[in-house]
Amino acid sequence: MASDTHMGCMTLSKIVNGASLKPRSGEPPKKIVLLLHGFGSSGTDMIALAPPWQEALPHTLFLAPHAPQRCGMMGRGYQWWGLSGFAPSALAAGAASAAPAIDAFIDRKLDQYGLSEADLAIVGFSQGTMMALHVALRRPQAVAAVVGYSGMLAGALGLNHGEFPKPPVLLVHGTADPVVPIAALHMSESELKRLGVEVTTHVSYGVAHTVDPVGLRLGRDFLTAAFAR
């Protein structure tokens, strides 16, 4: 596995671990929900979204990989790329640098279970939302849906020309988010609609940088409807 060490971070070119939850039905998966965690978090944290969704999605495999970079004090947490700021160019470059590892992971899992993009949904939180949107809009075929919590579109570079996949997107954001301001929701919604993407949004009043019970329920319902199409 190719890797390099820079400023205390070990960068891996391949996603090989994380957390998962097998289909409640006990049968081989018919659908996959890929859960992408936020900056400094992990797949172990992100998989916590899955249990409340299992009853509505009994044939679904939930996969929550760790990001390929591990860094920080005592080596805790993972990141899709090193956040140096929220400048649009930096976010776009960071998402682009992390995308190949996620695409390769998706390719392996779809091949492993004999499924297609139509059987896959991507859910992200914060930096994971940036990755979910970046990857989903650039896959060979459209995934079933994207759900993004407390994040944003990290740039539309390369999407203005020609056709590209346009899966339905749900964005949920708290008004009291001190990490990614609520303005990011409105900016992302406007840009996605300009690109022709079907976007649904929900503003969680008084909610900080987290997923509240209402947002969790909306995500479940959005995924269920998307897979039923």
Side-chain angles (χ1 to χ4, degrees):
M1 184 189 305
S3 67
D4 66 273
T5 303
H6 178 62
M7 294 183 67
C9 295
M10 185 169 70
T11 302
L12 307 177
S13 62
K14 185 178 180 181
I15 297 171
V16 294
N17 55 2
S20 63
L21 198 60
K22 294 180 179 179
R24 183 175 176 175
S25 66
E27 300 172 0
K30 297 178 181 177
K31 307 291 181 185
I32 294 175
V33 170
L34 176 63
L35 301 158
L36 303 178
H37 66 77
F39 181 83
S41 186
S42 69
T44 307
D45 291 336
M46 193 68 180
I47 199 67
L49 296 184
W53 291 348
Q54 274 196 302
E55 185 173 352
L57 299 165
H59 302 290
T60 300
L61 170 66
F62 294 90
L63 298 173
H66 301 322
Q69 295 185 8
R70 184 163 194 167
C71 67
M73 199 172 296
M74 306 297 292
R76 292 175 182 167
Y78 298 81
Q79 61 185 24
W80 298 103
W81 76 89
L83 274 174
S84 57
F86 281 87
S89 59
L91 295 178
S97 71
I102 296 175
D103 275 318
F105 182 80
I106 290 173
D107 290 342
R108 291 201 309 274
K109 293 303 176 180
L110 293 181
D111 182 66
Q112 179 180 348
Y113 294 106
L115 301 174
S116 69
E117 270 94 347
D119 305 310
L120 169 73
I122 309 178
V123 177
F125 177 79
S126 194
Q127 193 184 44
T129 292
M130 300 182 205
M131 291 313 311
L133 289 168
H134 182 95
V135 168
L137 296 177
R138 293 166 175 83
R139 290 290 300 173
Q141 303 293 328
V143 301
V146 176
V147 176
Y149 294 106
S150 306
M152 62 192 294
L153 180 67
L157 189 66
L159 296 178
N160 292 312
H161 307 290
E163 288 296 310
F164 59 92
K166 298 181 178 70
V169 173
L170 170 66
L171 298 177
V172 179
H173 213 118
T175 59
D177 193 329
V179 180
V180 183
I182 185 65
L185 171 78
H186 304 303
M187 179 278 291
S188 300
E189 179 186 17
S190 176
E191 184 70 0
L192 287 167
K193 286 183 175 178
R194 184 187 68 80
L195 293 167
V197 177
E198 176 189 331
V199 187
T200 303
T201 62
H202 174 76
V203 174
S204 298
Y205 289 94
V207 173
H209 197 61
T210 186
V211 181
D212 72 337
V214 174
L216 198 61
R217 175 176 55 78
L218 291 172
R220 177 201 66 195
D221 294 347
F222 193 80
L223 294 176
T224 304
F227 280 141
R229 288 181 181 177

